[in-house]
Amino acid sequence: MWLEVGYGNPLFKIYPSGGSILIGLEALVWSRLGVLSDFRFPVENADYFFGAYVVWNGHDHREVDGDSILSAGEHWRFRISHISSHDVDGKDSITGGSSSRYSREFVELTRRFRVLNRTEIFATVGIRTYFHQVTKIEPSIAFPASLSIPISFWDQDGIFAFVSSADGPVWPSIAAGLRVQRGIHLDDTNTGLELFYYYGASWAGTDAGLKVSQLKLQLDVRGL
C-alpha cells in the first residue's frame, strides 16, 4: 500500500492581464507500507521531494450549459527540485552508510494546453534535465508528457481517460486509465478516484529502477 502526502503553496502572486504568475514552494513524501495482520502497516521506505516553482496560468472565459465560467487555459511551470529515497524502520534491516544512495536534483519546464478549442482535452509536454544524481538511475534528459480526454462531465465534475509517460517518480514510465474527478476548473479543491495500469520503475526509489507492472486504484484529495 502507498501513502502520499504533499503540500505546495505560492509565496507570491502576480496578476498580469489574462492570467496569473505564482512563485512558491512544494514538498511531498510517498511511502511504501507493508500490510500485516492485526491492522499493522509498517513503513518500509520513503521518498522525499521538495523544491521551488514558478507557474504562469492563462485563463479562458467559456460557456457551459449557457453559463459563463472561468476555466483553466494554457499553463507553464518551471521547477527546480530534489528527490531522495530512504529505507526506514518498517524494514527487517536497514543498510548502513549513506541514507541517500538514490538522490537527484533536476530542473523542469512543462506546458499544459487545451488540445482543441472549446473542449476539455488537455495535453502536457515538458523537458527535464538532471544536473546531479547519487547512483544514476535516470537519463540525463527526460521528456514527460500526458493527455487527458473527457468521457463525460457535468458542471464542475467529470470522468476522464488519461495516459501519461511520467506517472511515477522515475522516468520513463507509462500509465493509462480512468479518473472520476470532482472540481475540474479553477477550484483549488478537488477529489479524484483513479483506476489505471502502470508499467515502469517502482515508486520506491530504494529499488533503484526495478521495473513493475501493476493495476492501481488510487484516491486523491487535493487543495485541503
Side-chain angles (χ1 to χ4, degrees), residues 74-158:
E74 190 173 37
H75 168 112
W76 288 85
R77 180 184 67 192
F78 173 81
R79 67 177 7 157
I80 179 167
S81 306
H82 161 89
I83 181 173
S84 59
S85 308
H86 307 263
D87 287 331
V88 293
D89 57 2
K91 275 204 165 183
D92 292 334
S93 62
I94 300 176
T95 304
S98 173
S99 64
S100 57
R101 292 176 297 151
Y102 305 105
S103 69
R104 52 220 189 268
E105 290 78 39
F106 64 89
V107 293
E108 178 185 80
L109 178 65
T110 57
R111 177 190 177 214
R112 180 177 183 264
F113 57 94
R114 198 183 303 276
V115 174
L116 299 173
N117 191 29
R118 304 182 65 82
T119 73
E120 293 293 336
I121 302 175
F122 282 95
T124 301
V125 295
I127 183 170
R128 180 190 306 159
T129 179
Y130 294 87
F131 57 86
H132 176 254
Q133 294 192 61
V134 174
T135 309
K136 184 174 180 179
I137 58 174
E138 298 199 60
S140 298
I141 298 179
F143 300 96
S146 65
L147 182 67
S148 174
I149 303 172
I151 296 176
S152 174
F153 67 92
W154 54 98
D155 192 19
Q156 299 268 330
D157 307 329

Side-chain angles (χ1 to χ4, degrees), residues 13-56:
K13 299 180 181 180
I14 306 170
Y15 296 96
S17 177
S20 60
I21 297 174
L22 311 178
I23 303 172
L25 302 175
E26 56 189 348
L28 169 72
V29 56
W30 58 93
S31 302
R32 181 168 61 186
L33 285 67
V35 180
L36 305 180
S37 60
D38 300 323
F39 206 69
R40 292 179 297 156
F41 305 95
V43 181
E44 298 176 351
N45 47 50
D47 284 60
Y48 300 95
F49 170 97
F50 58 85
Y53 65 87
V54 179
V55 167
W56 180 82

Side-chain angles (χ1 to χ4, degrees), residues 60-71 118 120 153:
D60 294 339
H61 286 275
R62 307 177 63 242
E63 286 193 3
V64 174
D65 297 329
D67 296 325
S68 179
I69 63 171
L70 188 64
S71 63
R118 304 182 65 82
E120 293 293 336
F153 67 92

